[in-house]
Amino acid sequence: NVDPYSRFDATLTFSDFEDAGVEEAYLTRWGLPGDLTARFGRFFPKVGKQASIHRDSLPTVDEPLVINRYFGVEGYNRTGVDVTRIFEGIGGWLFQPSFGVLEGGVGERGTAFGSTRRRPTIYSHLKAYKDLSDASGIELGATHLVGSKDADPQFEVNLFGLDATYLNHLTPTAKILLQSELFLQHRRENFSINTDTGTTTYFDRHPWGAYLLTDYRFAPRWSVGARADHVRLVNTAATSRRFDQGVSAFLTFYQSE
């Protein structure tokens, strides 16, 4: 806690395979005009569901393929600023719109945007939540990002996302989670020209990806689940493999929180 109106959070990562890194280091500020809450620094923007959380908080050991291929191998953390607000809607719905301006680029090996950090990415997200009963609830979300695919100042990439999560506590110790996300890109430029040969290669203008996940917590410390993935690759020629897909199953033992 920095003062009664702000808090500082930081997450540092250590690995045997790479240098120590800073995943998050940001200041959260409350009490702004309009009941807004703002974040400044390096953080996971509110983009969908699984791109915006740390790997150790995922229900699986890795990110879905669409997150991995478009945003990076460990999600999507950027330096920037965003604002958000929670308010009640009709019919028992809670809404949380968010808007932010981030440095350009994506995570390691991500392909949705270019690698130039000086070309900003603008994002917006709307989350809606409703309790369906005392034991179940549903959360819906919509995301939009616009950014650059290279070093020029143009916004050539629009990325749209939809997500849905359903959680049902079957018993006091058992619950089931159903979750799905879909991301669709609109890329203004869908070709490249080989300057040596003059050959033009065309790519998919609207690559997309999605996953469907289920996780069944059948005991206080055990759960089992499965995930299906499909993602269309960015800037892949028609003569090569144009998508990744897979199905995986997992068993989790919760040793601690």
mmCIF file of all heavy atoms in Angstrom, residues 165-200:
data_model
loop_
_atom_site.group_PDB
_atom_site.id
_atom_site.type_symbol
_atom_site.label_atom_id
_atom_site.label_comp_id
_atom_site.label_asym_id
_atom_site.label_seq_id
_atom_site.Cartn_x
_atom_site.Cartn_y
_atom_site.Cartn_z
ATOM 1 N N THR A 165 -17.316 -17.664 -19.871
ATOM 2 C CA THR A 165 -16.934 -18.558 -18.775
ATOM 3 C C THR A 165 -18.170 -18.894 -17.952
ATOM 4 O O THR A 165 -18.929 -18.002 -17.564
ATOM 5 C CB THR A 165 -15.879 -17.895 -17.870
ATOM 6 O OG1 THR A 165 -14.739 -17.529 -18.647
ATOM 7 C CG2 THR A 165 -15.448 -18.838 -16.759
ATOM 8 N N TYR A 166 -18.361 -20.184 -17.689
ATOM 9 C CA TYR A 166 -19.468 -20.649 -16.855
ATOM 10 C C TYR A 166 -18.889 -21.451 -15.696
ATOM 11 O O TYR A 166 -18.080 -22.359 -15.896
ATOM 12 C CB TYR A 166 -20.427 -21.518 -17.667
ATOM 13 C CG TYR A 166 -21.473 -22.224 -16.842
ATOM 14 C CD1 TYR A 166 -22.575 -21.534 -16.349
ATOM 15 C CD2 TYR A 166 -21.362 -23.583 -16.547
ATOM 16 C CE1 TYR A 166 -23.539 -22.179 -15.590
ATOM 17 C CE2 TYR A 166 -22.314 -24.239 -15.802
ATOM 18 C CZ TYR A 166 -23.407 -23.526 -15.318
ATOM 19 O OH TYR A 166 -24.365 -24.165 -14.556
ATOM 20 N N LEU A 167 -19.287 -21.123 -14.476
ATOM 21 C CA LEU A 167 -18.802 -21.807 -13.278
ATOM 22 C C LEU A 167 -19.999 -22.255 -12.447
ATOM 23 O O LEU A 167 -20.889 -21.448 -12.152
ATOM 24 C CB LEU A 167 -17.903 -20.884 -12.455
ATOM 25 C CG LEU A 167 -17.304 -21.482 -11.178
ATOM 26 C CD1 LEU A 167 -16.353 -22.626 -11.524
ATOM 27 C CD2 LEU A 167 -16.564 -20.412 -10.381
ATOM 28 N N ASN A 168 -19.986 -23.536 -12.076
ATOM 29 C CA ASN A 168 -21.082 -24.086 -11.295
ATOM 30 C C ASN A 168 -20.500 -24.870 -10.124
ATOM 31 O O ASN A 168 -19.736 -25.820 -10.320
ATOM 32 C CB ASN A 168 -21.949 -25.007 -12.160
ATOM 33 C CG ASN A 168 -23.248 -25.413 -11.462
ATOM 34 O OD1 ASN A 168 -23.362 -25.374 -10.248
ATOM 35 N ND2 ASN A 168 -24.237 -25.821 -12.247
ATOM 36 N N HIS A 169 -20.842 -24.467 -8.906
ATOM 37 C CA HIS A 169 -20.448 -25.210 -7.708
ATOM 38 C C HIS A 169 -21.486 -26.314 -7.478
ATOM 39 O O HIS A 169 -22.581 -26.065 -6.961
ATOM 40 C CB HIS A 169 -20.380 -24.278 -6.503
ATOM 41 C CG HIS A 169 -19.225 -23.325 -6.554
ATOM 42 N ND1 HIS A 169 -19.246 -22.176 -7.320
ATOM 43 C CD2 HIS A 169 -18.006 -23.365 -5.957
ATOM 44 C CE1 HIS A 169 -18.096 -21.527 -7.179
ATOM 45 N NE2 HIS A 169 -17.329 -22.230 -6.354
ATOM 46 N N LEU A 170 -21.132 -27.534 -7.877
ATOM 47 C CA LEU A 170 -22.068 -28.655 -7.790
ATOM 48 C C LEU A 170 -22.336 -29.041 -6.341
ATOM 49 O O LEU A 170 -23.456 -29.377 -5.967
ATOM 50 C CB LEU A 170 -21.511 -29.837 -8.572
ATOM 51 C CG LEU A 170 -21.175 -29.542 -10.047
ATOM 52 C CD1 LEU A 170 -20.499 -30.752 -10.681
ATOM 53 C CD2 LEU A 170 -22.416 -29.150 -10.817
ATOM 54 N N THR A 171 -21.265 -29.025 -5.541
ATOM 55 C CA THR A 171 -21.350 -29.282 -4.102
ATOM 56 C C THR A 171 -20.415 -28.279 -3.430
ATOM 57 O O THR A 171 -19.685 -27.552 -4.105
ATOM 58 C CB THR A 171 -20.926 -30.726 -3.760
ATOM 59 O OG1 THR A 171 -19.513 -30.858 -3.986
ATOM 60 C CG2 THR A 171 -21.681 -31.738 -4.626
ATOM 61 N N PRO A 172 -20.378 -28.238 -2.098
ATOM 62 C CA PRO A 172 -19.436 -27.324 -1.444
ATOM 63 C C PRO A 172 -17.982 -27.565 -1.811
ATOM 64 O O PRO A 172 -17.149 -26.665 -1.682
ATOM 65 C CB PRO A 172 -19.696 -27.584 0.046
ATOM 66 C CG PRO A 172 -21.128 -28.011 0.106
ATOM 67 C CD PRO A 172 -21.331 -28.825 -1.136
ATOM 68 N N THR A 173 -17.629 -28.756 -2.281
ATOM 69 C CA THR A 173 -16.236 -29.056 -2.621
ATOM 70 C C THR A 173 -16.015 -29.383 -4.091
ATOM 71 O O THR A 173 -14.877 -29.546 -4.513
ATOM 72 C CB THR A 173 -15.718 -30.236 -1.781
ATOM 73 O OG1 THR A 173 -16.527 -31.393 -2.042
ATOM 74 C CG2 THR A 173 -15.759 -29.894 -0.298
ATOM 75 N N ALA A 174 -17.075 -29.498 -4.875
ATOM 76 C CA ALA A 174 -16.944 -29.867 -6.287
ATOM 77 C C ALA A 174 -17.497 -28.749 -7.163
ATOM 78 O O ALA A 174 -18.546 -28.152 -6.848
ATOM 79 C CB ALA A 174 -17.675 -31.170 -6.576
ATOM 80 N N LYS A 175 -16.820 -28.462 -8.262
ATOM 81 C CA LYS A 175 -17.282 -27.431 -9.190
ATOM 82 C C LYS A 175 -16.793 -27.764 -10.593
ATOM 83 O O LYS A 175 -15.804 -28.475 -10.784
ATOM 84 C CB LYS A 175 -16.778 -26.048 -8.771
ATOM 85 C CG LYS A 175 -15.269 -25.909 -8.719
ATOM 86 C CD LYS A 175 -14.859 -24.532 -8.208
ATOM 87 C CE LYS A 175 -13.343 -24.399 -8.104
ATOM 88 N NZ LYS A 175 -12.940 -23.075 -7.591
ATOM 89 N N ILE A 176 -17.501 -27.226 -11.572
ATOM 90 C CA ILE A 176 -17.138 -27.434 -12.965
ATOM 91 C C ILE A 176 -17.000 -26.075 -13.652
ATOM 92 O O ILE A 176 -17.799 -25.164 -13.433
ATOM 93 C CB ILE A 176 -18.179 -28.317 -13.697
ATOM 94 C CG1 ILE A 176 -17.687 -28.642 -15.105
ATOM 95 C CG2 ILE A 176 -19.552 -27.658 -13.711
ATOM 96 C CD1 ILE A 176 -18.501 -29.712 -15.794
ATOM 97 N N LEU A 177 -15.965 -25.967 -14.458
ATOM 98 C CA LEU A 177 -15.675 -24.744 -15.199
ATOM 99 C C LEU A 177 -15.729 -25.042 -16.685
ATOM 100 O O LEU A 177 -15.121 -26.004 -17.168
ATOM 101 C CB LEU A 177 -14.280 -24.214 -14.831
ATOM 102 C CG LEU A 177 -13.720 -23.083 -15.704
ATOM 103 C CD1 LEU A 177 -14.435 -21.775 -15.385
ATOM 104 C CD2 LEU A 177 -12.215 -22.932 -15.498
ATOM 105 N N LEU A 178 -16.450 -24.224 -17.437
ATOM 106 C CA LEU A 178 -16.468 -24.260 -18.890
ATOM 107 C C LEU A 178 -16.016 -22.893 -19.392
ATOM 108 O O LEU A 178 -16.540 -21.869 -18.942
ATOM 109 C CB LEU A 178 -17.874 -24.575 -19.416
ATOM 110 C CG LEU A 178 -18.486 -25.915 -19.014
ATOM 111 C CD1 LEU A 178 -19.924 -26.002 -19.510
ATOM 112 C CD2 LEU A 178 -17.666 -27.069 -19.565
ATOM 113 N N GLN A 179 -15.060 -22.884 -20.308
ATOM 114 C CA GLN A 179 -14.514 -21.608 -20.783
ATOM 115 C C GLN A 179 -14.137 -21.708 -22.256
ATOM 116 O O GLN A 179 -13.652 -22.759 -22.712
ATOM 117 C CB GLN A 179 -13.280 -21.225 -19.967
ATOM 118 C CG GLN A 179 -12.737 -19.844 -20.263
ATOM 119 C CD GLN A 179 -11.576 -19.493 -19.341
ATOM 120 O OE1 GLN A 179 -10.424 -19.643 -19.685
ATOM 121 N NE2 GLN A 179 -11.911 -19.036 -18.141
ATOM 122 N N SER A 180 -14.362 -20.622 -22.985
ATOM 123 C CA SER A 180 -14.006 -20.581 -24.396
ATOM 124 C C SER A 180 -13.647 -19.152 -24.780
ATOM 125 O O SER A 180 -14.196 -18.188 -24.221
ATOM 126 C CB SER A 180 -15.163 -21.083 -25.260
ATOM 127 O OG SER A 180 -14.802 -21.089 -26.633
ATOM 128 N N GLU A 181 -12.712 -19.038 -25.737
ATOM 129 C CA GLU A 181 -12.338 -17.736 -26.282
ATOM 130 C C GLU A 181 -12.158 -17.846 -27.787
ATOM 131 O O GLU A 181 -11.721 -18.887 -28.302
ATOM 132 C CB GLU A 181 -11.029 -17.227 -25.660
ATOM 133 C CG GLU A 181 -11.138 -16.812 -24.218
ATOM 134 C CD GLU A 181 -9.865 -16.114 -23.735
ATOM 135 O OE1 GLU A 181 -9.622 -14.958 -24.143
ATOM 136 O OE2 GLU A 181 -9.113 -16.739 -22.966
ATOM 137 N N LEU A 182 -12.477 -16.757 -28.474
ATOM 138 C CA LEU A 182 -12.290 -16.657 -29.913
ATOM 139 C C LEU A 182 -11.628 -15.325 -30.229
ATOM 140 O O LEU A 182 -12.068 -14.279 -29.723
ATOM 141 C CB LEU A 182 -13.635 -16.752 -30.644
ATOM 142 C CG LEU A 182 -13.639 -16.357 -32.123
ATOM 143 C CD1 LEU A 182 -12.869 -17.379 -32.957
ATOM 144 C CD2 LEU A 182 -15.069 -16.206 -32.647
ATOM 145 N N PHE A 183 -10.555 -15.347 -31.033
ATOM 146 C CA PHE A 183 -9.892 -14.127 -31.485
ATOM 147 C C PHE A 183 -9.855 -14.117 -33.009
ATOM 148 O O PHE A 183 -9.488 -15.119 -33.637
ATOM 149 C CB PHE A 183 -8.463 -14.034 -30.935
ATOM 150 C CG PHE A 183 -8.397 -13.727 -29.468
ATOM 151 C CD1 PHE A 183 -8.229 -14.751 -28.544
ATOM 152 C CD2 PHE A 183 -8.508 -12.424 -29.009
ATOM 153 C CE1 PHE A 183 -8.168 -14.476 -27.189
ATOM 154 C CE2 PHE A 183 -8.456 -12.145 -27.656
ATOM 155 C CZ PHE A 183 -8.280 -13.164 -26.741
ATOM 156 N N LEU A 184 -10.235 -12.992 -33.583
ATOM 157 C CA LEU A 184 -10.242 -12.814 -35.032
ATOM 158 C C LEU A 184 -9.482 -11.546 -35.379
ATOM 159 O O LEU A 184 -9.720 -10.486 -34.780
ATOM 160 C CB LEU A 184 -11.679 -12.720 -35.553
ATOM 161 C CG LEU A 184 -11.852 -12.301 -37.015
ATOM 162 C CD1 LEU A 184 -11.326 -13.382 -37.950
ATOM 163 C CD2 LEU A 184 -13.326 -11.990 -37.313
ATOM 164 N N GLN A 185 -8.576 -11.631 -36.348
ATOM 165 C CA GLN A 185 -7.801 -10.483 -36.777
ATOM 166 C C GLN A 185 -8.286 -9.974 -38.131
ATOM 167 O O GLN A 185 -8.722 -10.748 -38.987
ATOM 168 C CB GLN A 185 -6.318 -10.844 -36.911
ATOM 169 C CG GLN A 185 -5.662 -11.299 -35.626
ATOM 170 C CD GLN A 185 -4.178 -11.522 -35.803
ATOM 171 O OE1 GLN A 185 -3.487 -10.739 -36.453
ATOM 172 N NE2 GLN A 185 -3.688 -12.615 -35.246
ATOM 173 N N HIS A 186 -8.184 -8.666 -38.312
ATOM 174 C CA HIS A 186 -8.332 -8.055 -39.630
ATOM 175 C C HIS A 186 -7.023 -7.326 -39.928
ATOM 176 O O HIS A 186 -6.690 -6.343 -39.276
ATOM 177 C CB HIS A 186 -9.496 -7.063 -39.669
ATOM 178 C CG HIS A 186 -9.553 -6.284 -40.951
ATOM 179 N ND1 HIS A 186 -9.927 -6.852 -42.144
ATOM 180 C CD2 HIS A 186 -9.253 -4.984 -41.223
ATOM 181 C CE1 HIS A 186 -9.868 -5.940 -43.104
ATOM 182 N NE2 HIS A 186 -9.465 -4.802 -42.574
ATOM 183 N N ARG A 187 -6.269 -7.828 -40.893
ATOM 184 C CA ARG A 187 -4.961 -7.297 -41.233
ATOM 185 C C ARG A 187 -5.083 -6.555 -42.567
ATOM 186 O O ARG A 187 -5.438 -7.137 -43.599
ATOM 187 C CB ARG A 187 -3.925 -8.419 -41.308
ATOM 188 C CG ARG A 187 -3.860 -9.246 -40.021
ATOM 189 C CD ARG A 187 -2.801 -10.318 -40.078
ATOM 190 N NE ARG A 187 -1.467 -9.769 -39.975
ATOM 191 C CZ ARG A 187 -0.843 -9.476 -38.834
ATOM 192 N NH1 ARG A 187 -1.469 -9.682 -37.670
ATOM 193 N NH2 ARG A 187 0.380 -8.989 -38.830
ATOM 194 N N ARG A 188 -4.777 -5.249 -42.530
ATOM 195 C CA ARG A 188 -4.958 -4.413 -43.709
ATOM 196 C C ARG A 188 -4.041 -4.846 -44.848
ATOM 197 O O ARG A 188 -4.426 -4.817 -46.014
ATOM 198 C CB ARG A 188 -4.693 -2.944 -43.356
ATOM 199 C CG ARG A 188 -4.964 -1.973 -44.490
ATOM 200 C CD ARG A 188 -4.612 -0.549 -44.089
ATOM 201 N NE ARG A 188 -5.323 -0.151 -42.875
ATOM 202 C CZ ARG A 188 -5.081 1.003 -42.248
ATOM 203 N NH1 ARG A 188 -4.153 1.829 -42.698
ATOM 204 N NH2 ARG A 188 -5.764 1.316 -41.166
ATOM 205 N N GLU A 189 -2.819 -5.259 -44.527
ATOM 206 C CA GLU A 189 -1.878 -5.717 -45.542
ATOM 207 C C GLU A 189 -1.729 -7.236 -45.426
ATOM 208 O O GLU A 189 -1.397 -7.748 -44.364
ATOM 209 C CB GLU A 189 -0.520 -5.033 -45.365
ATOM 210 C CG GLU A 189 -0.586 -3.509 -45.524
ATOM 211 C CD GLU A 189 0.763 -2.849 -45.285
ATOM 212 O OE1 GLU A 189 1.740 -3.582 -45.034
ATOM 213 O OE2 GLU A 189 0.839 -1.615 -45.339
ATOM 214 N N ASN A 190 -1.968 -7.927 -46.516
ATOM 215 C CA ASN A 190 -1.927 -9.390 -46.485
ATOM 216 C C ASN A 190 -0.970 -9.957 -47.527
ATOM 217 O O ASN A 190 -1.207 -11.019 -48.096
ATOM 218 C CB ASN A 190 -3.326 -9.967 -46.704
ATOM 219 C CG ASN A 190 -3.869 -9.664 -48.094
ATOM 220 O OD1 ASN A 190 -3.561 -8.622 -48.669
ATOM 221 N ND2 ASN A 190 -4.667 -10.573 -48.633
ATOM 222 N N PHE A 191 0.134 -9.256 -47.780
ATOM 223 C CA PHE A 191 1.100 -9.750 -48.754
ATOM 224 C C PHE A 191 2.488 -9.228 -48.407
ATOM 225 O O PHE A 191 2.653 -8.270 -47.635
ATOM 226 C CB PHE A 191 0.735 -9.301 -50.175
ATOM 227 C CG PHE A 191 0.764 -7.807 -50.365
ATOM 228 C CD1 PHE A 191 1.925 -7.164 -50.786
ATOM 229 C CD2 PHE A 191 -0.361 -7.033 -50.110
ATOM 230 C CE1 PHE A 191 1.963 -5.792 -50.951
ATOM 231 C CE2 PHE A 191 -0.322 -5.661 -50.268
ATOM 232 C CZ PHE A 191 0.835 -5.037 -50.698
ATOM 233 N N SER A 192 3.508 -9.870 -48.983
ATOM 234 C CA SER A 192 4.889 -9.402 -48.889
ATOM 235 C C SER A 192 5.539 -9.571 -50.250
ATOM 236 O O SER A 192 5.166 -10.464 -51.023
ATOM 237 C CB SER A 192 5.666 -10.182 -47.820
ATOM 238 O OG SER A 192 5.829 -11.532 -48.214
ATOM 239 N N ILE A 193 6.497 -8.695 -50.554
ATOM 240 C CA ILE A 193 7.170 -8.703 -51.846
ATOM 241 C C ILE A 193 8.650 -8.992 -51.631
ATOM 242 O O ILE A 193 9.318 -8.306 -50.848
ATOM 243 C CB ILE A 193 6.988 -7.364 -52.582
ATOM 244 C CG1 ILE A 193 5.492 -7.090 -52.821
ATOM 245 C CG2 ILE A 193 7.735 -7.379 -53.911
ATOM 246 C CD1 ILE A 193 5.227 -5.739 -53.451
ATOM 247 N N ASN A 194 9.159 -10.017 -52.285
ATOM 248 C CA ASN A 194 10.584 -10.340 -52.257
ATOM 249 C C ASN A 194 11.319 -9.351 -53.149
ATOM 250 O O ASN A 194 11.124 -9.325 -54.365
ATOM 251 C CB ASN A 194 10.807 -11.774 -52.740
ATOM 252 C CG ASN A 194 12.233 -12.240 -52.527
ATOM 253 O OD1 ASN A 194 13.187 -11.514 -52.798
ATOM 254 N ND2 ASN A 194 12.382 -13.470 -52.048
ATOM 255 N N THR A 195 12.154 -8.503 -52.533
ATOM 256 C CA THR A 195 12.835 -7.453 -53.298
ATOM 257 C C THR A 195 13.856 -8.013 -54.287
ATOM 258 O O THR A 195 14.215 -7.336 -55.251
ATOM 259 C CB THR A 195 13.529 -6.475 -52.337
ATOM 260 O OG1 THR A 195 14.435 -7.211 -51.495
ATOM 261 C CG2 THR A 195 12.504 -5.764 -51.466
ATOM 262 N N ASP A 196 14.318 -9.229 -54.053
ATOM 263 C CA ASP A 196 15.313 -9.823 -54.954
ATOM 264 C C ASP A 196 14.662 -10.408 -56.216
ATOM 265 O O ASP A 196 15.168 -10.240 -57.329
ATOM 266 C CB ASP A 196 16.110 -10.907 -54.237
ATOM 267 C CG ASP A 196 16.946 -10.346 -53.094
ATOM 268 O OD1 ASP A 196 17.379 -9.175 -53.212
ATOM 269 O OD2 ASP A 196 17.148 -11.050 -52.100
ATOM 270 N N THR A 197 13.529 -11.090 -56.023
ATOM 271 C CA THR A 197 12.886 -11.760 -57.150
ATOM 272 C C THR A 197 11.641 -11.043 -57.647
ATOM 273 O O THR A 197 11.152 -11.344 -58.746
ATOM 274 C CB THR A 197 12.511 -13.192 -56.757
ATOM 275 O OG1 THR A 197 11.526 -13.152 -55.705
ATOM 276 C CG2 THR A 197 13.714 -13.958 -56.258
ATOM 277 N N GLY A 198 11.113 -10.112 -56.842
ATOM 278 C CA GLY A 198 9.876 -9.443 -57.223
ATOM 279 C C GLY A 198 8.640 -10.280 -57.031
ATOM 280 O O GLY A 198 7.538 -9.901 -57.446
ATOM 281 N N THR A 199 8.766 -11.427 -56.371
ATOM 282 C CA THR A 199 7.638 -12.322 -56.158
ATOM 283 C C THR A 199 6.761 -11.811 -55.016
ATOM 284 O O THR A 199 7.261 -11.418 -53.960
ATOM 285 C CB THR A 199 8.132 -13.743 -55.831
ATOM 286 O OG1 THR A 199 8.972 -14.202 -56.892
ATOM 287 C CG2 THR A 199 6.955 -14.693 -55.654
ATOM 288 N N THR A 200 5.457 -11.829 -55.234
ATOM 289 C CA THR A 200 4.498 -11.411 -54.221
ATOM 290 C C THR A 200 3.865 -12.632 -53.570
ATOM 291 O O THR A 200 3.365 -13.522 -54.267
ATOM 292 C CB THR A 200 3.400 -10.523 -54.830
ATOM 293 O OG1 THR A 200 3.993 -9.370 -55.429
ATOM 294 C CG2 THR A 200 2.413 -10.081 -53.750
#
